[in-house]
Amino acid sequence: MKEVKVEYRKLANPRKFNETVEGNGALANQNALAERFGYDWHARRLFFESHFRGHLLMQMTAYTSTRDHQWAAQNAPLFAAAGAAVEVSVSGLAKGNRERPIEPLVILLQQVMDAVARLPHRRLRALDKGTWQGIVTLLSRIELFDATTLKLPPKPREWAPGTNEDEAALKLQLRIDGGRGDFKKILLTPAPGLDAPYFEDLLGDLEEQEGQIFVFDGGYWRWAKCRTPGCTGLVLLADGGWPVIV
């Protein structure tokens, strides 16, 4: 089989190809379009779904001609695994390419282009310079706090126990710069247990950080109803239960 092009190797992988064809929902109406335009009328084994899958694989591989397509559809393991295997002659395939209605393919292409236009980075490109500068300024004031578990081989579990008895693990407590994505602080802690006890060490001196915005999840803090006399709002609690901010 001719080699899959480097830039399409992940997409062409049979385990990933169904997601590729579905297009995160952008191409989910293929059968309805095929029926609407009579694509499979007198199909003679060349149905829209397998035909479309074959077209995609042709773009992802070194196959170029109708004869290549016919050979690959009948012999290439990738085409079989991706649901693009068809038993049709070269002339039958060429006739299908020539006479089948093109409207379903045009509509699917437009749906893909519309989905691409809605991608966050595409929408961000339309922002004016002032808005961009505002976003950059805001991000420069934001710092993120999160913890991630590092799973280790079982051997060091005596000094680095995991959640289960037969596992070893450590946890990284991270403070991340929202503007640059750099790690500003890193603490290596035991994997089991709460994250809250390490938050003060990550925070440092709050008086020196006026104007900063801290973003963290419930692993460090949680909101609860204020029970102090005269307090009607919410209180920010550490996981241990003591109040931090009223």
Side-chain angles (χ1 to χ4, degrees), residues 66-88:
T66 302
R67 188 171 296 278
D68 286 343
H69 189 171
Q70 186 256 2
W71 184 92
Q74 295 182 3
N75 298 281
L78 176 60
F79 276 64
V86 293
E87 296 181 6
V88 63

Side-chain angles (χ1 to χ4, degrees), residues 130-143 177-179 211-215:
T131 304
W132 265 115
Q133 289 176 338
I135 292 174
V136 172
T137 301
L138 179 62
L139 288 175
S140 68
R141 296 173 52 203
I142 292 176
E143 296 191 0
D177 186 287
Q212 287 296 107
I213 300 172
F214 301 130
V215 180

Side-chain angles (χ1 to χ4, degrees), residues 113 115-133 135:
M113 297 305 295
V116 170
R118 292 192 297 269
L119 290 174
H121 72 277
R122 293 278 182 168
R123 297 171 68 178
L124 287 174
R125 287 179 181 176
L127 298 178
D128 59 75
K129 185 177 180 180
T131 304
W132 265 115
Q133 289 176 338
I135 292 174

Side-chain angles (χ1 to χ4, degrees), residues 115-180:
V116 170
R118 292 192 297 269
L119 290 174
H121 72 277
R122 293 278 182 168
R123 297 171 68 178
L124 287 174
R125 287 179 181 176
L127 298 178
D128 59 75
K129 185 177 180 180
T131 304
W132 265 115
Q133 289 176 338
I135 292 174
V136 172
T137 301
L138 179 62
L139 288 175
S140 68
R141 296 173 52 203
I142 292 176
E143 296 191 0
L144 310 173
F145 295 77
D146 199 9
T148 183
T149 300
L150 301 176
K151 292 185 178 180
L152 304 175
K155 191 172 182 179
R157 64 178 176 269
E158 289 187 7
W159 59 270
T163 303
N164 299 320
E165 294 183 358
D166 58 344
E167 294 178 348
L170 289 170
K171 187 177 287 187
L172 282 178
Q173 307 284 344
L174 302 173
R175 177 172 176 171
I176 306 168
D177 186 287
R180 300 188 307 271

Side-chain angles (χ1 to χ4, degrees), residues 7 39 90-92 96 132 175 182 198 243:
E7 62 268 33
Y39 198 94
V90 175
S91 59
W132 265 115
R175 177 172 176 171
D182 301 338
Y198 311 106

